[in-house]
Amino acid sequence: MCDREHAEIDPEVTVPEPPQEPTRVRAPSIRDVARLAGVSHQTVSRVLNQHPSIRPETKQRVLDVMAELQYKPNRAARALVTSRSRTIGILSASSTHYGPASSIAAIEAAARESGYWVSTANIESSDAGSIADGLAHLRAQGIEGLVVIAPQVRVFDTLAELSIDVPYVTLQSTGRDPEHTLSVDQIAGARKATRHLIHRGHRMIYHLAGPQDWIEAEARMRGFLDEMGANDVPTTAPILGDWTAEFGFHAGRELLTVRDFTAIFASNDQMALGVMHAVRDAGLEIPRDVSIVGFDDIPEAAHFWPPLTTVRQDFPEVGRRCVALLLGDLDSSAPEYRGTIEPELIVRDSVGAPAF
Amino acid sequence: MCDREHAEIDPEVTVPEPPQEPTRVRAPSIRDVARLAGVSHQTVSRVLNQHPSIRPETKQRVLDVMAELQYKPNRAARALVTSRSRTIGILSASSTHYGPASSIAAIEAAARESGYWVSTANIESSDAGSIADGLAHLRAQGIEGLVVIAPQVRVFDTLAELSIDVPYVTLQSTGRDPEHTLSVDQIAGARKATRHLIHRGHRMIYHLAGPQDWIEAEARMRGFLDEMGANDVPTTAPILGDWTAEFGFHAGRELLTVRDFTAIFASNDQMALGVMHAVRDAGLEIPRDVSIVGFDDIPEAAHFWPPLTTVRQDFPEVGRRCVALLLGDLDSSAPEYRGTIEPELIVRDSVGAPAF
DNA sequence: TCTCGGCATGTTCACGGTCACACATGCCGG
DNA sequence: CCGGCATGTGTGACCGTGAACATGCCGAGA
């Protein structure tokens, strides 16, 4: 110390490299803390990990030094030695939609509360390559758990192929993998929607389904067909859409050229909106001429014209339970939440009695 | 080494625990690969890092062993030694909305392509504590870059207070921090929307603004006021909303009790939707009685009744540029994308000439 | 009084990579 | 013929943390 001070003053001793910016100051480590607190690094580590047998005054001294140095534990080092990343991966499709986005937000919040980080990978298309890419990306990160909100059938195949080695939860019921599933009972929801239309007197009901390879879409379709069958109402083949309002609009227009129906059950609210658009464009009124039911209850649905009768899914709850489920595997505590969540029919103004 | 081998063979020396399931097989490391390939661990590392001077056959041998062992590099170890996490953090508010969600998805895609991971933290309320929490959460993770999609004014204060030590980009123009900003020019967008109404003959125009503490909301409001001023149209005080359709509905209802306006410029499409709902509930027609312009161009806007005239923001592009900007700081390559993106007026059917 | 056990703390090593440096080989020019 | 340089590879240290084990001290029980 004395030397250095001297060196700075004495003009003769030229410091070769006055450390003007010494390759960026490295962050303080537990050893730095230890040195200043006059303890061993292990004691610092013990403070960090709430080890019981530390004298309160020692602990306090360490904590003080930590604060002074603005010490931040190094996650990489910790992950390396414990081989735990404390990171949950989310594989998500269509994360711009309200439902998935809500669940993701809830998952993040719940995970954070439990001291976990969340990392996402969005897949755009549903081809196997894209799915595998996303999965590989997450896996390379060393995630400890995986949430799949990309509910295409193919995802499950890929999941199996890649023999995912971490606990995972999927937000959709596949039927074939109940162990890892936490789902809103899409079938029950679809039945409620369909039943509502039937009870109001409709017999000619079309179903605007989601993409074939989506498990949810399939489940809602099944629910529709089941309920129709249970009530002995003849059905026509569902129309396979792509979840967008745009598709709903075109499908609606197509359907209206024949107009052999009094009601439409759309597989999500966006498609329902598109259909409503087409119906009005045709000079018809909802629900006088055509009744419509949607699915999801996005926040906007209450302000469609007319306000849309739909099936509400509690997306945040799904996200929360999902994390609980995962953490149950990971930390073997936390309550058991496995099982399904019952969606709820929200009756608004888009359904009336059939016109004829 | 000799000793150990001997011990395993000599029946007298009883191995206390025949490792039937040796506490879960640990993942293969570069040393395992090295041993099987008959090279040093350093050579394996060189293969991993595309070091130029390796004999092709050596490289191939290493690669073969890697494949055989299903070797996966350990991210934590690499991060520890290089002190690079290759992780970008996203601090986001209202991530369930279409705009932020789109940007997040684009950011994730762009980051992934560049070999970065993305981790998100959502903040619900805009209180300083919540913001600081989210930021701390990300920081504890050792993020290398930060994207802020939580455009409340307070976030910037917190950002400054916590003296964030990583490069960051905010998706909104603050005016005061152009260095770190990449933004859609909200003011220009709002002016376009307002000008459109004025050109169609409207003189009594209300503005339904977003929450006061949102920078975007403020900018759109400023754009509205600027354009009104530039055209010498007298203005009334904007109404401060919360982005929701629900609020738009109530505000619209309130406004219609007086009905001293011919047009409304809503600060986003959801609020516009709510207003439309209120207008129709009052027995009026759009655009005959009231003209409405929104902002964002969410995919549903084209199917509102009537299809909504609005201002389109290219969210994905924002996300992409954002990553480019960040990676420019990080990797000092990649083109410079700093600057603003001009939003675009999408004219549909919700604006007409004023009724009187 | 001696031993034993628990507390508070220190020492050493391991985790799985990368980096700096050393070393062997072969080619080329003086 | 020898030194220097490029190429290909190995050795050992190091990153920051936590676990196993060691140590010193103190009080309780034999």
Side-chain angles (χ1 to χ4, degrees):
Chain A
M1 188 196 286
C2 202
D3 286 355
R4 189 176 290 165
E5 266 179 25
H6 189 236
E8 278 171 11
I9 291 165
D10 192 340
E12 202 181 358
V13 182
T14 49
V15 182
E17 185 78 345
Q20 48 218 4
E21 189 56 59
T23 54
R24 188 177 294 185
V25 266
R26 57 166 55 272
S29 76
I30 50 170
R31 285 171 216 266
D32 298 319
V33 175
R35 198 177 321 115
L36 260 81
V39 295
S40 75
H41 80 267
Q42 179 60 5
T43 299
V44 178
S45 172
R46 282 194 258 258
V47 170
L48 281 175
N49 295 288
Q50 334 265 27
H51 189 100
S53 33
I54 293 193
R55 248 189 317 160
E57 61 195 73
T58 310
K59 180 171 177 176
Q60 193 53 53
R61 192 151 27 100
V62 170
L63 289 174
D64 289 347
V65 176
M66 279 181 180
E68 188 189 335
L69 254 46
Q70 298 211 52
Y71 167 79
K72 299 265 160 13
N74 181 315
R75 188 172 85 108
R78 189 173 278 177
L80 175 60
V81 72
T82 58
S83 51
R84 302 231 13 205
S85 66
R86 297 195 77 84
T87 299
I88 290 174
I90 300 182
L91 185 73
S92 166
S94 61
S95 62
T96 61
H97 286 16
Y98 172 74
S102 304
S103 291
I104 290 176
I107 289 168
E108 192 277 314
R112 168 137 58 109
E113 199 171 342
S114 303
Y116 282 77
W117 287 279
V118 162
S119 188
T120 51
N122 296 298
I123 59 181
E124 281 168 39
S125 55
S126 68
D127 64 296
S130 163
I131 295 168
D133 271 5
L135 236 31
H137 183 69
L138 291 176
R139 196 152 56 153
Q141 196 176 5
I143 56 169
E144 283 187 52
L146 174 67
V147 181
V148 179
I149 317 188
Q152 288 103 331
V153 179
R154 265 215 196 100
V155 171
F156 294 91
D157 300 339
T158 313
L159 225 49
E161 265 172 44
L162 262 60
S163 61
I164 287 301
D165 43 5
V166 299
Y168 67 91
V169 182
T170 69
L171 286 201
Q172 287 74 30
S173 55
T174 61
R176 49 174 145 153
D177 200 358
E179 169 72 15
H180 299 294
T181 293
L182 178 128
S183 64
V184 173
D185 190 340
Q186 307 288 335
I187 296 180
R191 292 191 73 147
K192 281 181 181 176
T194 311
R195 194 177 313 139
H196 181 65
L197 287 171
I198 295 173
H199 281 4
R200 284 310 216 74
H202 294 274
R203 288 297 175 274
M204 289 135 73
I205 309 172
Y206 267 105
H207 178 51
L208 201 47
Q212 239 179 328
D213 62 342
W214 282 60
I215 289 154
E216 283 172 331
E218 199 196 324
R220 290 176 200 170
M221 189 170 93
R222 182 137 27 103
F224 167 75
L225 294 172
D226 285 0
E227 188 65 24
M228 292 289 271
N231 287 275
D232 289 324
V233 181
T235 62
T236 49
I239 298 145
L240 269 24
D242 65 0
W243 296 134
T244 66
E246 193 65 21
F247 182 89
F249 178 62
H250 292 300
R253 222 157 42 175
E254 195 76 19
L255 244 36
L256 286 164
T257 59
V258 182
R259 213 186 148 196
D260 55 346
F261 61 92
T262 61
I264 292 179
F265 166 37
S267 207
N268 76 346
D269 290 349
Q270 278 85 358
M271 289 199 293
L273 178 66
V275 170
M276 290 164 93
H277 182 192
V279 169
R280 272 186 312 255
D281 260 11
L284 301 174
E285 249 182 54
I286 304 164
R288 196 195 59 193
D289 302 310
V290 176
S291 289
I292 293 177
V293 181
F295 207 109
D296 280 352
D297 193 28
I298 63 175
E300 288 79 25
H303 299 281
F304 286 177
W305 185 245
L308 183 67
T309 291
T310 186
V311 179
R312 175 179 296 167
Q313 302 200 61
D314 190 346
F315 294 107
E317 176 64 16
V318 170
R320 280 189 294 272
R321 288 205 193 180
C322 175
V323 172
L325 193 52
L326 222 41
L327 263 42
D329 276 6
L330 260 35
D331 286 347
S332 65
S333 64
E336 265 295 322
Y337 272 131
R338 218 171 294 268
T340 57
I341 299 170
E342 186 86 355
E344 180 189 359
L345 181 73
I346 306 291
V347 176
R348 288 198 270 253
D349 309 331
S350 63
V351 174
F356 47 95
Chain B
M1 190 199 281
C2 202
D3 286 356
R4 191 177 289 167
E5 265 180 27
H6 188 236
E8 278 171 10
I9 290 164
D10 192 340
E12 204 180 357
V13 181
T14 50
V15 181
E17 186 77 346
Q20 50 217 5
E21 188 55 60
T23 53
R24 188 179 294 185
V25 267
R26 55 167 55 271
S29 75
I30 49 169
R31 288 167 218 267
D32 297 320
V33 174
R35 198 177 322 115
L36 260 79
V39 296
S40 75
H41 66 101
Q42 177 59 9
T43 299
V44 177
S45 172
R46 281 194 260 258
V47 170
L48 280 176
N49 296 287
Q50 334 265 28
H51 188 99
S53 30
I54 294 192
R55 248 189 316 160
E57 61 195 71
T58 309
K59 181 170 176 176
Q60 192 52 52
R61 192 149 29 100
V62 170
L63 288 174
D64 288 348
V65 175
M66 280 182 179
E68 187 189 337
L69 255 47
Q70 299 210 49
Y71 168 78
K72 299 266 161 14
N74 181 314
R75 188 170 87 107
R78 187 174 281 175
L80 175 59
V81 72
T82 58
S83 51
R84 302 225 22 199
S85 66
R86 296 196 78 82
T87 299
I88 291 175
I90 300 182
L91 185 73
S92 165
S94 60
S95 62
T96 61
H97 287 15
Y98 172 75
S102 304
S103 292
I104 291 177
I107 289 168
E108 191 275 316
R112 168 138 56 111
E113 201 172 342
S114 303
Y116 281 78
W117 286 280
V118 162
S119 188
T120 51
N122 296 298
I123 59 180
E124 280 167 39
S125 55
S126 67
D127 64 296
S130 164
I131 295 168
D133 272 6
L135 237 30
H137 183 68
L138 291 176
R139 199 160 44 160
Q141 197 175 3
I143 56 169
E144 283 187 52
L146 175 67
V147 180
V148 179
I149 317 189
Q152 287 103 333
V153 179
R154 265 215 195 101
V155 171
F156 295 91
D157 301 338
T158 312
L159 226 48
E161 264 172 45
L162 263 60
S163 61
I164 287 303
D165 43 6
V166 298
Y168 67 91
V169 182
T170 69
L171 286 200
Q172 285 75 31
S173 57
T174 61
R176 50 174 145 153
D177 201 357
E179 171 71 14
H180 298 294
T181 292
L182 177 126
S183 65
V184 173
D185 190 339
Q186 307 289 335
I187 296 180
R191 292 191 73 148
K192 281 182 182 175
T194 311
R195 194 176 314 139
H196 181 63
L197 288 172
I198 294 173
H199 281 3
R200 286 309 217 74
H202 293 274
R203 289 296 174 275
M204 289 135 72
I205 308 171
Y206 268 103
H207 178 50
L208 200 48
Q212 240 179 329
D213 62 342
W214 282 60
I215 289 154
E216 284 172 331
E218 199 194 323
R220 290 177 199 169
M221 189 170 93
R222 183 137 26 103
F224 167 74
L225 294 173
D226 286 359
E227 187 65 24
M228 292 289 271
N231 287 274
D232 288 323
V233 181
T235 62
T236 49
I239 298 144
L240 271 22
D242 65 359
W243 298 133
T244 65
E246 194 64 22
F247 182 90
F249 177 62
H250 292 300
R253 219 154 49 173
E254 195 76 20
L255 244 37
L256 286 164
T257 58
V258 182
R259 213 185 147 195
D260 54 348
F261 62 92
T262 62
I264 293 180
F265 166 37
S267 207
N268 75 346
D269 291 348
Q270 278 85 359
M271 289 199 295
L273 178 66
V275 170
M276 289 164 95
H277 183 190
V279 169
R280 273 185 311 255
D281 260 11
L284 302 175
E285 250 182 52
I286 304 163
R288 196 195 60 193
D289 303 310
V290 175
S291 289
I292 294 179
V293 180
F295 207 109
D296 281 352
D297 193 29
I298 62 175
E300 288 79 25
H303 299 281
F304 287 177
W305 185 246
L308 182 66
T309 291
T310 186
V311 179
R312 174 180 296 168
Q313 303 200 60
D314 190 347
F315 295 108
E317 176 64 15
V318 171
R320 280 188 294 272
R321 288 205 193 181
C322 175
V323 172
L325 192 53
L326 221 43
L327 264 41
D329 277 6
L330 259 35
D331 287 347
S332 64
S333 63
E336 264 295 321
Y337 272 131
R338 218 170 294 269
T340 56
I341 299 170
E342 186 86 355
E344 179 190 0
L345 181 73
I346 305 292
V347 176
R348 287 198 270 252
D349 310 330
S350 64
V351 174
F356 48 95

